[in-house]
């Protein structure tokens, strides 16, 4: 699903009204009615409803909400932001007249002092509707607007935001000092970046997207570069299987990884590839480590690579890997590989020389930190990199904190620098193309913050590449499938604190069935 920032949402509105010919009043009527219906589904039986309206179109939506809530049996009171320049115009003014024409009352707040007399309205409400500001706001709130936001937040009733919690910038993940903390946000046409990216998403509550009549082709005309990977999107990408298919049809993944003490990482990547549908998986590991990998998963094939004294790859080990690639489909490099000058050199040579798509993670990414970072873009075949914030920070020459402060910007910078698809792991994992198109992942939970999860994801993405998906598709679907398996693990009784990668791997079949429409 497309995600629209403030500029694109305004463009979609304009095209719909001016070129398609759907009047703004119709869009506003649809918006307010649908918000009222969402309120009625959650607050039943009808009780006192307080609708707080601003001076623009979001306020106009609020007057429509008030009218429809009254029709549904709620005792509705409207509080409007007054003061300088408070006169409504256009569609919003028409909707305010319609509310008053039905006998609806409006209490106007022109200053913070006048708000105190309305305290009983906030205290007695069964639900509060925030229709102060919508997606056009890009400045901090102050004065009576800020006082109204504080009054809304102090109310014990659930708060429903119309399109966007007032105070947020729709295009930014930042949370300002003054912002409505919503229980539910009913947003129009498509979700907005602030509703999906942390930390702003935390003040949006549950987000429901409603169709107010903006055509899908109009949304596409805005050229969105941000998308949301949900269940329907994942289902469209899932590789299909025919009755006569055989293992040779689903690709052969070669994982290069493992070192002394880290055999499990390579095995997890291999097992993830098998569980995600690869027909064949071989883990190539240093000779002392290979038996450990083989013992962990009998379905994996294994291969020995030359090893140094530390149990890591020896010099020129990459040549044996390249010799094997003629029988393979995808190469995954990094899980448990270890560190050191020789290991890093071998990893860089593999990435640079592989004729097959490469998934690069963990110690493989570490091989490019520092003076070698610019060589990350020197690859022959499609490349997918899967850093966590710490790895991303080291590659960018910054810090984990800096990456987390602007996850989307960091992921786009890495994807461009590496000329690769970048999967920035973490809450709301981001998949970004070299051109900057980004997909926000909908699945996952805090229990995934444990060792081995990234190795498993490497294998999943490699398996999807092996089954014929393009790099961007495989990476985004892999992140969704990985997170969904973790979510299903919690649904089956796992505690977040005890969730481990092998449990998530065992839940991958259930995740695949659910994506494919068979939850059994």
């Amino acid at each position: 699903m497309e995600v629209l920032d403030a500029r694109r949402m305004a463009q979609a509105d304009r095209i719909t009204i001016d070129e398609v010919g759907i009047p703004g009043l119709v869009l506003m009527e649809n918006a307010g009615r649908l918000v009222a219906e969402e309120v009625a589904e959650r607050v039943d039986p009808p009780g006192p409803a307080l609708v707080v309206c601003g001076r623009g179109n979001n306020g106009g939506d609020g007057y429509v909400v008030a009218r429809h809530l009254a029709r549904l049996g709620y005792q509705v009171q409207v509080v409007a932001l007054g003061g300088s320049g408070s006169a409504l115009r256009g569609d919003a003014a028409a909707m305010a007249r319609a509310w008053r024409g039905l006998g609806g009352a409006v209490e106007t707040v022109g200053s913070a002092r006048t708000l105190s007399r309305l305290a009983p309205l906030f205290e007695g409400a069964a639900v509060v509707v925030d229709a102060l500001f919508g997606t056009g706001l890009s400045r901090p709130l102050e004065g009576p607007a800020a006082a109204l936001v504080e009054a809304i937040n102090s109310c014990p009733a659930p708060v429903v935001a119309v399109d966007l919690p007032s105070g947020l910038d729709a295009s930014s993940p930042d949370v300002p000092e003054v912002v409505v903390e919503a229980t539910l946000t009913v947003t129009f046409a498509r979700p907005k970046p602030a509703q999906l990216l942390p930390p702003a998403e935390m003040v949006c509550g549950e987000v429901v997207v409603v169709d107010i009549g903006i055509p899908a082709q109009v949304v596409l005309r805005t050229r969105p570069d941000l998308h949301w990977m949900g269940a329907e999107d994942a289902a469209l990408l899932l590789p299909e299987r025919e009755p006569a298919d055989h293992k040779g049809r689903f690709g052969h993944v070669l994982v290069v990884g493992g070192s002394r003490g880290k055999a499990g990482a390579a095995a997890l990547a291999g097992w993830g590839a098998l569980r995600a549908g690869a027909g064949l998986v071989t883990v190539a590991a240093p000779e002392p480590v290979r038996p450990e990998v083989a013992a962990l998963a009998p379905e994996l094939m294994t291969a020995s690579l030359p090893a140094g004294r530390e149990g890591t790859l020896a010099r020129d080990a990459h040549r044996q890997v390249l010799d094997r690639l003629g029988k393979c489909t995808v190469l995954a490099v990094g899980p448990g590989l270890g560190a050191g000058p020789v290991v890093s050199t071998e990893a860089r040579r593999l990435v640079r020389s592989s004729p097959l798509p490469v998934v690069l993670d963990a110690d493989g990414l570490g091989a490019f930190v520092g003076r070698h970072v610019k060589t990350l873009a020197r690859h022959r075949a499609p490349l997918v990199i899967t850093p966590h914030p710490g790895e991303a920070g080291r590659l960018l020459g910054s810090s984990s904190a800096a990456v987390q402060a602007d996850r989307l910007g960091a992921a786009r910078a890495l994807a461009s620098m590496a000329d690769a698809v970048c999967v920035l792991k973490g809450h709301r994992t981001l998949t970004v193309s070299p051109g900057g198109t980004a997909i926000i992942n909908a699945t996952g939970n805090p229990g995934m913050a444990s060792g081995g999860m990234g190795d498993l994801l490497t294998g999943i993405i490699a398996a999807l590449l092996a089954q014929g998906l393009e790099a961007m598709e495989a990476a985004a679907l892999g992140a969704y499938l990985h997170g969904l398996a973790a979510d299903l693990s919690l649904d089956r009784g796992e505690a977040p604190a005890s969730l481990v990668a092998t449990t998530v791997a065992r839940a991958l079949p259930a995740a695949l069935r659910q994506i494919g429409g068979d939850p059994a």
Side-chain angles (χ1 to χ4, degrees):
M1 178 187 291
E2 303 87 1
V3 179
L4 299 183
D5 58 19
R7 178 181 64 82
R8 289 181 172 87
M9 190 64 225
Q11 184 182 4
D13 276 332
R14 181 190 60 75
I15 295 172
T16 301
I17 295 168
D18 296 344
E19 298 183 32
V20 178
I22 299 175
L25 277 172
V26 171
L27 299 179
M28 190 172 284
E29 178 69 21
N30 290 343
R33 174 179 54 82
L34 290 167
V35 171
E37 290 175 0
E38 293 292 336
V39 171
E41 281 189 13
R42 293 163 174 79
V43 183
D44 187 40
L50 181 62
V51 182
V52 184
C53 294
R55 300 163 179 161
N57 283 342
N58 197 249
D61 297 333
Y63 286 105
V64 180
V65 174
R67 179 158 43 83
H68 281 283
L69 286 178
R71 175 180 59 82
L72 293 169
Y74 291 81
Q75 300 85 55
V76 183
Q77 176 65 57
V78 172
V79 171
L81 179 62
S84 176
S86 61
L88 295 173
R89 294 179 294 275
D91 296 340
M95 293 308 188
R97 286 195 299 271
W99 168 247
R100 287 190 170 95
L102 291 173
V106 179
E107 294 280 357
T108 300
V109 175
S111 68
R113 289 195 303 273
T114 62
L115 187 57
S116 60
R117 64 182 173 81
L118 301 179
L121 294 180
F122 287 87
E123 294 168 1
V127 61
V128 177
V129 177
D130 162 32
L132 273 171
F133 297 95
T135 57
L137 185 71
S138 58
R139 56 179 172 77
L141 297 182
E142 55 186 18
L148 275 170
V149 168
E150 292 174 4
I152 290 171
N153 287 340
S154 66
C155 182
V159 176
V160 178
V162 175
D163 206 15
L164 190 73
S166 293
L168 284 183
D169 178 341
S171 305
S172 171
D174 297 333
V175 178
E177 185 175 346
V178 179
V179 64
V180 167
E181 298 173 7
T183 310
L184 168 71
T185 298
V186 183
T187 197
F188 308 141
R190 296 294 187 275
K192 316 305 182 293
Q195 296 160 353
L196 303 177
L197 294 172
E201 55 143 354
M202 302 303 292
V203 302
C204 295
E206 178 190 1
V207 177
V208 174
V209 182
V210 295
D211 179 5
I212 63 172
I214 295 176
Q217 59 266 40
V218 169
V219 172
L220 294 178
R221 283 182 59 184
T222 70
R223 298 184 178 181
D225 61 358
L226 188 61
H227 301 263
W228 171 250
M229 173 66 82
E232 292 182 1
D233 306 289
L236 292 174
L237 295 177
L238 194 66
E240 296 183 357
R241 298 201 170 203
E242 301 296 334
D245 282 338
H246 54 86
K247 63 186 178 184
R249 284 264 293 111
F250 305 115
H252 186 166
V253 173
L254 177 62
V255 177
V256 177
S259 58
R260 190 167 291 145
K262 296 182 178 179
L268 275 169
W271 203 27
L274 282 172
R275 284 300 213 178
L280 295 167
V281 180
T282 298
V283 176
E287 171 55 37
V289 180
R290 186 205 62 78
E292 294 182 55
V293 174
L296 288 169
E299 300 90 344
L300 293 173
M301 295 183 290
T302 59
S304 295
L305 295 175
R309 285 182 298 179
E310 302 299 321
T312 55
L313 294 184
R315 193 175 305 278
D316 289 333
H318 74 282
R319 298 184 186 278
Q320 290 193 24
V321 175
L322 294 174
D323 287 344
R324 286 183 166 272
L325 294 185
K327 297 180 180 180
C328 298
T329 316
V330 175
L331 174 64
V333 179
L337 197 61
V342 172
V343 175
S344 295
T345 298
E346 296 303 297
R348 290 193 294 270
R349 287 173 173 169
L350 284 174
V351 173
R352 183 171 62 245
S353 303
S354 174
L356 303 180
V358 177
V359 183
L360 185 66
D361 185 34
D363 295 327
L365 287 170
F368 291 89
V369 170
R371 64 188 179 90
H372 297 287
V373 69
K374 292 184 178 179
T375 68
L376 191 53
R378 299 176 190 170
H379 47 85
R380 295 171 55 188
L383 174 65
V384 178
I385 61 175
T386 61
H388 58 57
E391 290 163 340
R394 288 191 287 275
L395 288 168
L396 291 170
S398 62
S399 65
S400 175
V403 169
Q404 291 293 73
D406 183 11
R407 284 176 54 82
L408 185 55
R412 282 176 166 155
L414 269 176
S416 175
M417 181 183 71
D419 190 26
V421 171
C422 175
V423 180
L424 180 57
K425 295 180 288 196
H427 178 55
R428 297 288 192 240
T429 290
L430 294 167
T431 302
V432 182
S433 74
T437 298
I439 299 174
I440 306 169
N441 187 46
T443 60
N445 60 72
M448 300 177 76
S450 66
M453 293 290 181
D455 304 314
L456 189 65
L457 176 62
T458 295
I460 293 169
I461 294 172
L464 296 170
L465 280 167
Q467 292 170 81
L469 272 66
E470 297 295 325
M472 187 72 172
E473 297 173 338
L477 179 58
Y480 184 91
L481 177 61
H482 186 228
L484 179 59
D487 292 342
L488 292 174
S489 298
L490 297 193
D491 291 344
R492 295 176 175 186
E494 286 287 335
S498 65
L499 191 61
V500 295
T502 51
T503 301
V504 175
R506 293 187 186 99
L508 282 170
L512 284 165
R513 285 199 303 271
Q514 182 162 310
I515 294 173
D518 177 15

